[in-house]
């Protein structure tokens, strides 16, 4: 059998979308975007209808011959299938097509390898690739796969080259898992420090290319790579910020999800997705302009369920500049918002997003009239940082009167952190805070 070595991106590729009645139909346009994100030069995109997969080729032998003719005439170097193929199907197809064949999982892994920037991201990509490769080792060898190793100290029964490589891959997988455990421990230390300091973590999740990184950059005033392509951001990014109306939070941007993501890929990237598991609030960023929006929402919710994420979710319908929706908040109860419509690119509705996040974190907002003596300037500064002050004026005695819109328990927390008397600042409304006093820790920076 011929040996088709892995080449760099930019290969001339033929795409094969297969609609199988027994399986979920896939999005042809998303498949093209995946291939383009991997750097493929698309020569042809073929659609195939099947009642059930063929065990030998996944598609029918007649269609295989048709693709083989296209490969030869177009001088294609690669054929990509928008379904998972078995190792045997890949080998059978390569033998007939006389070029490399990869499936959806292999394509996504290639994109991950291109996008990984951090040490953790590269470890996770290598782990996922080795797990995928371990079932396909036979493909990369020529001649007699049972050829024995020879040499001094290795004569006798020995072991086949295939067995040797499988053993080496198992060793490397074990090493990678150990390294990722250490990364996980580092994350746990940082997360414990944030929890001790009572700093909420808000994690952005969503379908790939929904606009998470664009929204992240605007909120965090950051420069995380954002582009109109699938999996533009692979590595998780955390920023501490003082969000107007919300306060000090840690904002986390995570890898985008995609439909039909293999379980092994989800498993390999659990270390990244742990920021989602431990989040105080999830912002599910949705591309409101996508014609496949319901399917994309379902795909994200499926992965969140698979990894066990159970944090409260606020649905952020992004790209309203393209969908034509108005900036608004939709509530699921009188207190808690369910949806907020924004455009990160056009910076529309971001004030409503802040209001919705504040309500999700703190509960229903209320209007309070506060009286601050001149010595209570620090509390005024904190309220201004939160951007919750509606109006203010000084009376004849020099006391400052503030009208603030804020959640009751957040106001109580600020007053107690400043060690100030509730009744003096709130007047009659202080009676609604007559519950046992609690100690609130001052925020500490992330280690």
């Amino acid at each position: 059998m011929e040996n088709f070595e892995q080449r760099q991106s930019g290969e001339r590729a033929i795409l094969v979308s297969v609609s199988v009645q027994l399986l979920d139909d896939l999005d042809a346009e998303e498949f093209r975007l995946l291939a383009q994100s991997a750097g493929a030069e698309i020569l042809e995109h073929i659609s195939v209808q099947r009642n059930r997969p063929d065990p030998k080729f996944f598609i029918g032998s007649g269609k295989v011959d048709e693709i083989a003719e296209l490969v030869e005439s177009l001088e294609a170097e690669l054929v990509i299938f928008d379904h998972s193929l078995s190792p045997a199907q890949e080998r059978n197809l390569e033998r007939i097509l006389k070029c490399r064949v990869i499936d959806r999982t292999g394509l996504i892994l290639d994109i991950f390898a291109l996008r990984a920037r951090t040490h953790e991201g590269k470890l996770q990509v290598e782990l996922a690739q080795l797990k995928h490769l371990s079932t396909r080792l036979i493909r990369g060898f020529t001649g007699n796969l049972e050829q024995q190793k020879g040499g001094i100290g290795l004569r006798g029964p020995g072991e086949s080259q295939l067995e040797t490589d499988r053993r080496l891959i198992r060793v490397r997988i074990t090493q990678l898992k150990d390294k990722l455990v250490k990364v996980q421990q580092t994350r746990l230390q940082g997360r414990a420090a944030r929890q001790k300091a009572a700093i909420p973590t808000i994690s952005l999740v969503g379908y790939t290319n929904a606009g998470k990184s664009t929204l992240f950059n605007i909120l965090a005033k950051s420069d995380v790579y954002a582009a109109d392509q699938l999996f533009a951001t692979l590595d998780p990014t955390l920023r501490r910020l003082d969000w107007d109306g919300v306060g000090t939070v840690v904002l986390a941007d995570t890898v985008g999800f995609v439909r039909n993501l293999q379980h092994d890929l989800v498993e390999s990237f659990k270390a990244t997705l742990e920021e989602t598991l431990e989040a105080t609030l999830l912002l599910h960023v949705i591309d409101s302009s996508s014609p496949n929006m319901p399917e994309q929402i379902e795909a994200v919710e499926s992965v969140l369920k698979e990894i066990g994420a159970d944090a409260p979710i606020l649905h952020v319908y992004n790209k309203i500049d393209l969908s034509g929706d108005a900036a608004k908040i939709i509530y699921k109860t009188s207190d808690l918002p369910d949806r907020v419509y924004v455009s990160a690119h056009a910076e529309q509705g971001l004030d409503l997003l802040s209001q919705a996040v504040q309500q999700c974190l703190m509960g229903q907002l209320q209007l309070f009239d506060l009286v601050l003596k001149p010595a209570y300037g620090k509390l005024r500064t904190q309220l201004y940082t939160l951007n919750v002050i509606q109006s203010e004026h000084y009376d004849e005695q020099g006391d400052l009167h503030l009208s603030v819109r804020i959640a009751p328990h957040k106001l109580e927390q600020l007053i107690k952190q400043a060690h100030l008397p509730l009744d003096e600042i709130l007047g009659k409304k202080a009676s609604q805070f007559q519950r046992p006093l609690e100690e609130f820790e001052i925020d500490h920076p992330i280690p």
Side-chain angles (χ1 to χ4, degrees), residues 237-257:
T237 307
L238 279 72
R239 295 286 188 276
R240 173 172 168 155
L241 66 140
D242 292 320
W243 191 345
D244 284 353
V246 177
T248 301
V249 300
V250 172
L251 194 65
D253 186 20
T254 60
V255 62
F257 301 158

Side-chain angles (χ1 to χ4, degrees), residues 14 34 75 91 147 152 163 212 297 304 306-307 342 371 393 430 436:
I14 293 175
L34 281 171
E75 298 181 351
R91 293 195 300 273
Q147 180 179 358
I152 298 174
E163 290 169 344
K212 298 185 305 301
I297 293 174
L304 290 175
E306 183 174 350
I307 65 175
V342 306
V371 180
H393 69 274

Side-chain angles (χ1 to χ4, degrees), residues 1-2 34 43 53 70 77 100 129 246 334 350 402 441:
M1 172 184 162
E2 295 188 46
L34 281 171
L43 305 176
L70 275 174
E77 304 164 287
R100 283 200 311 117
Q129 286 178 323
V246 177
S334 59
L350 297 184
L402 296 175
E441 298 199 41

Side-chain angles (χ1 to χ4, degrees), residues 15-57:
L15 308 185
V16 182
S17 292
V18 187
S19 178
V20 181
Q21 191 173 12
L22 300 178
L23 303 175
D24 292 333
D25 290 339
L26 300 178
D27 181 1
E29 181 58 30
E30 177 183 282
F31 182 33
R32 290 182 66 88
L33 287 173
L34 281 171
Q36 290 169 352
S37 296
E41 178 188 346
I42 300 174
L43 305 176
E44 193 77 34
H45 191 168
I46 300 171
S47 296
V48 182
Q49 299 285 334
R50 295 282 301 179
N51 290 328
R52 59 180 55 84
D54 179 79
K56 187 174 182 180
F57 297 115

Side-chain angles (χ1 to χ4, degrees), residues 250-367:
V250 172
L251 194 65
D253 186 20
T254 60
V255 62
F257 301 158
V258 70
R259 279 193 292 172
N260 294 349
L261 194 62
Q262 292 296 307
H263 176 78
D264 285 346
L265 292 182
V266 176
E267 191 69 27
S268 297
F269 284 82
K270 270 193 173 178
T272 298
L273 296 172
E274 277 180 3
E275 292 302 334
T276 300
L277 289 174
E278 300 296 333
T280 311
L281 175 68
L282 299 180
L283 299 187
H284 179 180
V285 183
I286 299 164
D287 181 356
S288 63
S289 67
S290 172
N292 301 309
M293 182 176 65
E295 293 84 359
Q296 293 176 358
I297 293 174
E298 183 181 354
V300 173
E301 291 177 347
S302 175
V303 175
L304 290 175
K305 182 178 180 181
E306 183 174 350
I307 65 175
D310 58 359
I313 298 177
L314 174 64
H315 298 88
V316 181
Y317 284 73
N318 191 27
K319 304 186 182 182
I320 60 173
D321 54 318
L322 300 178
S323 67
D325 292 309
K328 59 187 175 183
I329 300 177
I330 295 179
Y331 289 82
K332 56 185 174 182
T333 67
S334 59
D335 295 335
L336 292 176
D338 177 59
R339 305 179 184 181
V340 57
Y341 288 76
V342 306
S343 170
H345 178 72
E347 300 191 21
Q348 299 175 7
L350 297 184
D351 55 336
L352 296 179
L353 176 60
S354 297
Q355 178 181 331
V357 169
Q358 187 180 15
Q359 290 173 340
C360 287
L361 291 177
M362 307 173 190
Q364 184 63 41
L365 306 183
Q366 296 184 25
L367 199 63

Side-chain angles (χ1 to χ4, degrees), residues 207-231:
Y207 206 79
T208 183
N209 205 32
K212 298 185 305 301
S213 295
T214 301
L215 181 61
F216 180 90
N217 286 338
I218 290 174
L219 296 176
K221 298 178 176 60
S222 185
D223 57 355
V224 170
Y225 179 66
D228 186 17
Q229 57 184 212
L230 303 186
F231 299 115

